[in-house]
Amino acid sequence: MDASIIIIGSGYSAAAALVHLAYAGLPLHQVLVIGPGELGAGQAYGCTAESYRLNVRADLQRLWPDQPEHFANWATAHIQDPDAHTPAGSFYRRCDFARYMTAQLARIPNAKALRQIDVWATRVTVEDDDWLVTCDDGAQYRAERLVLATGNPDPQWPAGIKPGRAPSLVRTPWRGDWAAQVNPAAHVCVVGAGLSAMDTLDALWMQQHQGPISLLAPHGLLPPGQADWVPEPPYAWPTGLRGSGFLRETRQYLGGGSWHERDCQQRFEALRVNINLPWQAMPTKDRVQLQRRLSWLWSLIRFRASPQTVAATKAMQTSGQLKIINTQLHGLAQVETGQWLARLSDGRDLPCHIVVNCTGMGRDKLIDTMIAAGQVAPIGATRQPWVTSELRVVASDGQPYDTLFCIGPTTGLALGDVLGATSIARQTAQLAQTLVKSIPFQRLR
């Protein structure tokens, strides 16, 4: 036996799980982490671009759900970043939160016993009631319990586009290292209109980019900026809602004000506090339909941009450098000059030099494989896994596993609004209590 628990993943979800397990009393020698890269950084915080900032203020970026000032106090003591502070709060760099996670991992009891295998897990099987994890280097590892903490998979080009590989095609922009390689005069096409697109615009602004920027926004909208909102009493959701009732309650409570206003954000945040209970109680069909039809609007209101990023975007719009085009990308073709033609849904071709894919996370290959193998039940016709409120993965026969768990963004369709550091931290604290109660402290065989 290689471990009592294997955690698959090496980003924030995996690191938070490890921290909460350690402080709940589980000896680290009983845990094995499988995943490449710096533990705790992942896609969200493993950034090289200093322009990439957290999209929430410091007191809302929590590894410890009951200690709202923990990261903020650490940042005050360890970070020199005067540009972080705004009237809406302090918005530190993503890479600095990765530093914070490294510091928290170093402080856990017996941190030197931490074991991480720097490879990708590619397949999971059951053998003699244990979980057997096969990795991309051919090695296999065995454990009694398995936690899927695979995080945000790399984006894929939309609409089945397969343009190949080229330096002028940025398929995964999340690290930010691509920005320094862009010709200052190049015409940049940004595909997508969420927070990744806002980060991309800010990175170009920080590089003092001079060329034109075309942003393809399917609904013609960009995320609003964070306001200096304060918590108000959580909304009391009624029980027994169907999809239409869920939508009606949301609209009525938010009212008709501008989503850019402070009051709107306060109401929205109050709405979110207890939102997972009515979401989980809805029929599967309703959840899938709501996600398919309205997830874009929810995401725009939910994931607000830092004031610094909003300021850079507005400056480029005002100067005419940035043009937002209400359309989608339907194809890419390279011409003899080396430029790209972005084929738009309105029938036009947009010539450009650089294409940056900001369409969001792609498919989780490992979970896809487990669903295809009949190990995991999908939610309806989606490729998202069924996960119970106890974070147990549901098998294809409809019964939850006793020893297979899932945390992080992958659980969103099953459990509701779980994206963001604080929501994931709550999951990992809950999971730690469940696992510690079920595992005897013993020397591994």
Side-chain angles (χ1 to χ4, degrees):
M1 187 71 64
D2 296 294
S4 290
I5 303 170
I6 286 179
I7 300 174
I8 298 180
S10 54
Y12 173 75
S13 298
L18 191 71
V19 169
H20 283 282
L21 280 168
Y23 279 100
L26 188 72
L28 279 189
H29 75 270
Q30 293 192 230
V31 185
L32 177 65
V33 176
I34 298 178
E38 181 183 356
L39 183 59
Q43 302 278 33
Y45 310 117
C47 307
T48 59
E50 293 197 350
S51 57
Y52 282 21
R53 291 190 176 271
L54 299 170
N55 62 295
V56 297
R57 63 193 191 219
D59 63 302
L60 299 176
Q61 186 76 11
R62 304 176 190 174
L63 173 62
W64 307 102
D66 58 345
Q67 300 182 52
E69 299 298 330
H70 197 276
F71 169 61
N73 291 338
W74 181 91
T76 299
H78 295 90
I79 298 173
Q80 295 296 323
D81 181 15
D83 292 337
H85 310 298
T86 78
S90 296
F91 296 79
Y92 290 99
R93 294 175 291 238
R94 292 176 182 266
C95 59
D96 285 328
F97 189 73
R99 288 175 53 204
Y100 167 78
M101 288 301 300
T102 298
Q104 300 312 299
L105 288 164
R107 293 180 64 248
I108 60 180
N110 197 20
K112 293 183 179 180
L114 169 63
R115 296 183 296 156
Q116 179 184 357
I117 308 297
D118 194 11
V119 294
W120 292 101
T122 57
R123 188 164 60 96
V124 171
T125 54
V126 178
E127 188 175 282
D128 298 329
D129 293 328
D130 293 326
W131 293 99
L132 193 65
V133 180
T134 302
C135 300
D136 59 359
D137 62 353
Q140 293 184 319
Y141 303 92
R142 182 186 295 268
E144 297 167 328
R145 292 159 185 83
L146 186 64
V147 178
L148 303 175
T150 48
N152 296 311
D154 285 348
Q156 301 297 318
W157 292 102
I161 297 170
K162 297 181 179 180
R165 295 177 179 271
S168 53
L169 295 175
V170 183
R171 181 171 68 88
T172 305
W174 292 335
R175 287 186 56 82
D177 49 358
W178 57 271
Q181 310 303 318
V182 175
N183 185 316
H187 183 175
V188 179
C189 176
V190 180
V191 185
L195 288 180
S196 294
M198 298 292 283
D199 286 340
T200 293
L201 296 175
D202 198 20
L204 292 170
W205 173 259
M206 294 292 287
Q207 290 290 328
Q208 299 183 336
H209 188 75
Q210 301 299 310
I213 303 170
S214 299
L215 186 142
L216 310 185
H219 302 281
L221 300 170
L222 290 176
Q226 289 281 354
D228 58 338
W229 65 278
V230 295
E232 61 181 47
Y235 179 65
W237 284 88
T239 59
L241 291 176
R242 294 291 304 268
S244 58
F246 185 92
L247 184 58
R248 182 178 60 253
E249 292 289 327
T250 301
R251 285 174 170 169
Q252 289 179 350
Y253 187 70
L254 291 180
S258 168
W259 63 1
H260 295 275
E261 295 175 354
R262 172 185 178 181
D263 288 348
C264 181
Q265 185 168 7
Q266 287 182 182
R267 290 193 299 273
F268 186 81
E269 297 298 336
L271 196 73
R272 286 183 50 233
V273 174
N274 296 319
I275 199 170
N276 288 354
L277 291 177
W279 179 266
Q280 293 169 28
M282 270 194 298
T284 303
K285 180 181 179 181
D286 292 32
R287 278 186 262 183
V288 172
Q289 287 181 344
L290 280 173
Q291 187 198 52
R292 183 170 62 247
R293 296 177 182 177
L294 296 172
S295 62
W296 69 271
L297 180 58
W298 180 270
S299 294
L300 277 175
I301 304 174
R302 160 74 167 86
F303 298 107
R304 294 170 177 261
S306 69
Q308 299 93 329
T309 304
V310 171
T313 300
K314 286 182 176 179
M316 289 188 286
Q317 282 185 281
T318 300
S319 70
Q321 180 185 20
L322 169 64
K323 296 187 181 302
I324 299 175
I325 306 173
N326 186 358
T327 189
Q328 292 178 300
L329 181 69
H330 271 205
L332 277 174
Q334 195 167 27
V335 295
E336 292 181 358
T337 61
Q339 285 184 297
W340 293 95
L341 284 181
R343 292 173 176 163
L344 310 182
S345 59
D346 59 13
R348 289 182 292 166
D349 284 344
L350 177 71
C352 53
H353 300 98
I354 307 291
V355 185
V356 186
N357 178 23
C358 297
T359 56
M361 62 182 181
R363 296 270 290 272
D364 190 303
K365 294 180 180 179
L366 179 62
I367 291 178
D368 269 2
T369 299
M370 296 178 74
I371 290 174
Q375 295 172 307
V376 174
I379 300 177
T382 72
R383 305 300 291 178
Q384 300 299 308
W386 264 118
V387 181
T388 72
S389 59
E390 293 80 26
L391 305 174
R392 300 181 189 275
V393 177
V394 177
S396 56
D397 63 1
Q399 298 299 311
Y401 286 99
D402 290 330
T403 57
L404 178 61
F405 302 85
C406 187
I407 56 176
T410 306
T411 67
L413 183 55
L415 301 181
D417 188 354
V418 296
L419 294 177
T422 303
S423 298
I424 294 172
R426 291 193 190 100
Q427 283 192 336
T428 58
Q430 174 190 348
L431 178 66
Q433 294 302 317
T434 299
L435 290 176
V436 166
K437 289 176 183 177
S438 66
I439 298 175
F441 299 160
Q442 59 186 8
R443 190 174 298 278
L444 298 179
R445 298 190 294 273

